[in-house]
Amino acid sequence: MSKRPSRPVPAAMLAPWKGPFGGVPPWHQVAPEAFPAAFERAMEAQRAQLRRITGDPRPPAFGNTIAALERSGRMLERVTTLFEVHASTLKLGELPRIEAEVMPRLAAFADEIFQDPLLFQRIEAVYRQRGQARLSPEQQRLTWLHYTEFVRNGARLDGPGKRRIQAINQRLAALFTRFSQNVLDEETSRFTVIEREADLDGLSGPFRDAAARAAEAKGLAGKWLVENTRSAMEPFLAYACHRGLRERVWRTYVNRGDNGGASDNKALIPEILQLRFERARLLGYPTHAHWSLEPTMAATPERAVALMEAVWQPAAARVRAEVAELQAMADGEGAGIRIAPWDYRFYLEKLRQARYALDLQEVQPYLQLDRLREGMFWAAGRLYGLTFTPVAGLPVQHPDVSVWAVADAGGRPAGLWYFDPFARAGKSSGAWMNNYRRQERAVRPIVSNNANFLPGAPGAPVLISWDDAVTLFHEFGHALHGLLSEASYPSLSGTAVPCDFVEFPSQLNEHWLLTPELLERFARHHRTGAPIPAELVRKLERAATFSQGFQTMEYLASAMIDMKLHMAGGQAIDPAAFEREELARLGMPEEIVMRHRPTQFNHIFSCDEYAAGYYAYLWADALTADAWEAFLEAGGPWDPAVAERLRRRVLAVGNTVDQGSAFRAFRGRDVETAALMRKRGFLPALEN
Ligand SMILES: [Zn+2]
């Protein structure tokens, strides 16, 4: 309980949402300083609801226990949505302090529910009778899901065991916050300053302007500053001709969290791993990886590792071939160097231009954000019958945000789509989808897409890069997964699927960007309106598997180390030695480093969600590649029968069926990973 006098909570932060479309988030009535008190009120409200369930004199049944549990905590869900959107897109002023205050309390509240013995007794009773109780398959699955979640979080432990789980979770919450804070410190306090304009040779005008502005902001007017972030590091390494500076920028970036001193993360990693291992053992699992993967499609760490190992060798062979080509290119220039990690991206760009005559900067004038968004809508219309209509006048959390009403093929309301496209202070980096309201029965979902595109000059069209365009379609794939949901219960609806399945609809949606039908209509020159030349589209298609050695290996090494760290036993792990020895054993090419080294690996050390879960992108991409081939084997990308099967068997069902069955119902068989190998260019493409 807070000792500070609690601030009045605006009623709208707690009340069911009002307005059109079944109610919309009341962004204009949120008072951020009231979040701690709002959370207290919402937790108290759910406690009262749970007491009514446990105090019910009737015998436990689906309706009075599982369905009642599913209905509880709606106020907490609404407050959490309002809070999460503030913490991820408006994190200014008091927000970081408020976040540090509420996160441990929410963790403790989750433990309080999972460890409530009376509640668990009732859930277990319903679970035991679920076969005889005339429940629908979806109700049986919901019962299984809640029962399993309780067990996996310690509901069956004795008193000392439960107390130990609580203590571990509290300690982990503190360690996660420190870990991510350290990474952020290393990204903001370390950077590369460039004194002479000649040293910027090779870099674009917009990059130089941004570097000059960054220097000025640090009181270094007249110089250039390369920030220690991925979005600054990647273009610098791809285009800067100054090799010594490339090495400096690269070293600053790859050593984040590994520099000694106050923001070094090496000491935190063994403690996090040890606590996770202890928790997994308490819960009856051999390791944290086994606990973490149990509810996923992969189901065991061994199956995830098997897929990663199957991809490792072809990726390593491709890297060797790429390095040989890069070396030949450098030798041809008389560079007199041996390709090092800070040379890889630089010579890849040169090779892309030499091999495919493709300069991605040539594509950008055709990539207007507004037009591509219309293209996304058009594709969703052609595939799933959806239509999108802009809605004015709804409350938004920032003036950049716009809202569209979505209708299904029969013209019925399908939900709302909020779009928050631009970078700004206080917004997390990257791009993501968020559920504001989950679908259940007739209640339609509210979903959002968020990105960090650079806004254009006032009145000018916003041009985005090819990578940004892929990101746009990716996140929209998550949005469609939410919008097309047809479940009865929110815990089973839309994107509430395991992490190794949730990236399947999103990665699949990326594929419709690179179709001639879409690009001809929607990739139009921002000045002339001319469609993108067919020749340029062909170059993009031909270069689709370019640099897959580098891309795959950079990712795969991180995914493999994540899994191995969480499959290791209880011995104290020295992260530096582990990384070195394990990568040597795997045969990591020395020209590439992990995309995320352990001391900066926020996915796995600043929360539990993705620990032993980074493999998920590869797993889901195997599904994606195989599903895309289902379209190609039929009538092509727009085949209506395959699209309808995808909608009905995968997108609409959410988590109401297990993911293996969903994929089988769509594809007619289990996933075959040869399609993944073809997608990445490790096997020859299919003839079509
Ligand atoms: Zn995604």
Side-chain angles (χ1 to χ4, degrees):
M1 278 296 178
S2 176
K3 295 250 166 54
R4 239 171 316 182
S6 67
R7 296 167 192 266
V9 181
M13 284 176 74
L14 303 172
W17 296 342
K18 298 187 176 64
F21 306 101
V24 294
W27 302 113
H28 57 307
Q29 289 165 308
V30 173
E33 68 280 4
F35 273 122
F39 273 118
E40 292 303 334
R41 294 269 298 274
M43 288 189 273
E44 204 38 64
Q46 189 170 11
R47 278 191 193 102
Q49 291 167 324
L50 297 179
R51 273 196 302 270
R52 278 198 290 282
I53 298 175
T54 53
D56 194 325
R58 294 171 298 170
F62 179 85
N64 66 28
T65 302
I66 304 294
L69 175 64
E70 188 76 1
R71 276 194 308 273
S72 76
R74 296 302 172 93
M75 186 192 289
L76 184 57
E77 273 176 34
R78 290 191 299 269
V79 175
T80 301
T81 294
L82 298 176
F83 175 74
E84 276 180 353
V85 170
H86 277 73
S88 58
T89 75
L90 300 164
K91 197 168 177 165
L92 297 167
E94 289 289 279
L95 243 293
R97 185 193 57 73
I98 293 171
E99 187 180 29
E101 182 182 339
V102 303
M103 293 314 282
R105 284 204 234 163
L106 291 175
F109 185 61
D111 279 337
E112 181 186 322
I113 295 178
F114 286 132
Q115 299 188 354
D116 179 338
L118 296 176
L119 186 57
F120 180 64
Q121 265 173 30
R122 293 185 68 97
I123 293 169
E124 191 172 29
V126 180
Y127 176 75
R128 299 252 173 262
Q129 319 146 10
R130 71 194 184 287
Q132 300 94 282
R134 286 209 305 272
L135 301 180
S136 72
E138 193 177 343
Q139 289 170 333
Q140 291 196 35
R141 188 162 171 87
L142 186 69
T143 305
W144 163 82
L145 183 79
H146 281 302
Y147 170 77
T148 307
E149 265 202 340
F150 272 69
V151 173
R152 284 173 47 75
N153 284 283
R156 276 221 205 101
L157 297 180
D158 59 11
K162 285 179 173 173
R163 280 192 293 282
R164 184 62 194 145
I165 294 280
Q166 287 171 22
I168 289 173
N169 287 339
Q170 286 298 298
R171 177 67 185 151
L172 281 174
L175 289 168
F176 294 159
T177 309
R178 255 180 71 198
F179 188 96
S180 64
Q181 194 56 53
N182 284 344
V183 175
L184 191 62
D185 282 352
E186 298 257 306
E187 289 180 351
T188 47
S189 66
R190 293 168 192 273
F191 41 79
T192 304
V193 178
I194 295 171
E195 313 265 344
R196 303 182 318 147
E197 183 150 28
D199 291 345
L200 299 168
D201 211 18
L203 293 161
S204 71
F207 187 93
R208 292 170 188 223
D209 294 346
R213 280 198 302 274
E216 214 178 317
K218 289 251 172 31
L220 298 166
K223 298 181 183 178
W224 296 266
L225 188 150
V226 185
E227 312 251 28
N228 198 18
T229 60
R230 179 166 291 277
S231 52
M233 174 278 289
E234 280 191 335
F236 191 89
L237 290 188
Y239 297 108
C241 298
H242 193 307
R243 188 172 190 238
L245 281 173
R246 285 205 307 269
E247 180 176 353
R248 230 166 80 199
V249 167
W250 179 85
R251 285 196 189 282
T252 309
Y253 189 75
V254 303
N255 287 327
R256 287 167 302 143
D258 190 15
N259 291 302
S263 49
D264 192 295
N265 270 332
K266 285 195 289 294
L268 305 189
I269 293 172
E271 190 182 353
I272 292 173
L273 291 170
Q274 184 61 43
L275 289 168
R276 282 182 174 150
F277 179 74
E278 185 191 346
R279 185 177 57 187
R281 296 304 292 252
L282 262 172
L283 294 166
Y285 297 82
T287 69
H288 179 78
H290 292 86
W291 178 82
S292 177
L293 270 81
E294 185 189 47
T296 66
M297 193 175 173
T300 67
E302 290 77 14
R303 290 186 66 203
V305 168
L307 177 66
M308 290 192 276
E309 282 177 343
V311 178
W312 185 283
Q313 286 313 326
R318 177 54 54 87
V319 168
R320 282 193 294 277
E322 281 175 5
V323 169
E325 287 180 293
L326 303 181
Q327 188 65 54
M329 184 147 230
D331 293 347
E333 289 182 344
I337 60 160
R338 185 157 173 264
I339 294 294
W342 46 92
D343 301 317
Y344 211 121
R345 289 181 175 87
F346 182 71
Y347 284 100
L348 267 182
E349 278 321 301
K350 292 192 165 211
L351 187 61
R352 193 200 305 267
Q353 300 199 17
R355 162 103 42 92
Y356 301 99
L358 174 62
D359 179 352
L360 287 177
Q361 297 179 27
E362 235 179 88
V363 182
Q364 195 154 348
Y366 297 94
L367 303 178
Q368 298 176 62
L369 178 60
D370 288 352
R371 286 228 172 218
L372 288 173
R373 195 199 58 231
E374 292 303 319
M376 240 160 45
F377 291 167
W378 175 81
R382 193 158 164 185
L383 293 166
Y384 314 117
L386 298 180
T387 52
F388 294 77
T389 314
V391 191
L394 294 185
V396 289
Q397 67 272 34
H398 188 276
D400 284 351
V401 181
S402 344
V403 191
W404 279 262
V406 190
D408 70 12
R412 292 172 295 265
L416 289 173
W417 183 69
Y418 285 58
F419 188 39
D420 184 2
F422 300 125
R424 61 172 174 267
K427 192 171 185 181
S428 302
S429 62
W432 65 95
M433 173 267 197
N434 196 341
N435 289 294
Y436 293 171
R437 179 174 66 210
R438 295 179 294 172
Q439 180 271 335
E440 59 180 303
R441 294 203 175 83
V443 176
R444 294 313 307 173
I446 304 179
V447 303
S448 79
N449 279 167
N450 308 269
N452 274 278
F453 305 136
L454 294 178
V462 178
L463 299 177
I464 61 175
S465 69
W466 181 256
D467 276 356
D468 284 345
V470 173
T471 300
L472 184 71
F473 275 65
H474 177 100
E475 297 307 329
F476 195 61
H478 287 306
L480 293 172
H481 197 184
L483 287 165
L484 290 165
S485 178
E486 288 173 15
S488 300
Y489 301 98
S491 291
L492 297 174
S493 87
T495 54
V497 294
C499 64
D500 56 2
F501 196 79
V502 79
E503 297 299 332
F504 160 37
S506 55
Q507 291 179 347
L508 186 59
N509 201 56
E510 295 171 16
H511 281 268
W512 280 281
L513 172 62
L514 187 49
T515 56
E517 294 84 355
L518 190 133
L519 288 174
E520 277 159 20
R521 284 175 176 82
F522 298 97
R524 290 183 171 259
H525 197 280
H526 68 102
R527 248 183 258 125
T528 64
I532 188 168
E535 179 53 27
L536 199 46
V537 175
R538 268 194 297 279
K539 285 181 193 171
L540 282 165
E541 284 171 341
R542 276 202 299 269
T545 59
F546 180 72
S547 80
Q548 273 303 324
F550 179 82
Q551 311 269 359
T552 302
M553 186 54 73
E554 189 197 34
Y555 157 81
L556 197 53
S558 297
M560 197 67 114
I561 292 293
D562 163 37
M563 194 61 79
K564 299 276 175 178
L565 281 169
H566 290 102
M567 289 173 81
Q571 74 277 23
I573 283 170
D574 170 355
F578 189 92
E579 177 185 359
R580 204 170 45 241
E581 287 158 18
E582 197 60 35
L583 289 177
R585 206 187 57 72
L586 288 163
M588 179 74 174
E590 59 188 20
E591 296 85 0
I592 296 178
V593 289
M594 298 165 66
R595 187 175 170 87
H596 310 281
R597 294 187 51 233
T599 57
Q600 60 219 211
F601 209 159
N602 270 325
H603 295 78
I604 68 169
F605 292 127
S606 67
C607 61
D608 266 331
E609 231 180 319
Y610 286 88
Y614 199 60
Y615 79 96
Y617 293 90
L618 185 73
W619 189 277
D621 208 29
L623 305 173
T624 302
D626 201 8
W628 183 246
E629 287 191 356
F631 280 94
L632 301 185
E633 287 162 12
W638 309 97
D639 186 88
V642 182
E644 173 60 10
R645 213 159 63 231
L646 181 72
R647 186 191 68 76
R648 222 151 51 86
R649 301 300 198 180
V650 174
L651 301 170
V653 298
N655 197 12
T656 61
V657 297
D658 83 88
Q659 284 65 49
S661 314
F663 189 85
R664 260 191 306 281
F666 164 68
R667 195 64 172 101
R669 56 161 172 74
D670 284 327
V671 61
E672 285 178 4
T673 50
L676 173 70
M677 301 297 187
R678 286 190 282 270
K679 175 178 174 176
R680 301 206 173 210
F682 302 157
L683 282 176
L686 291 178
E687 299 290 324
N688 53 2

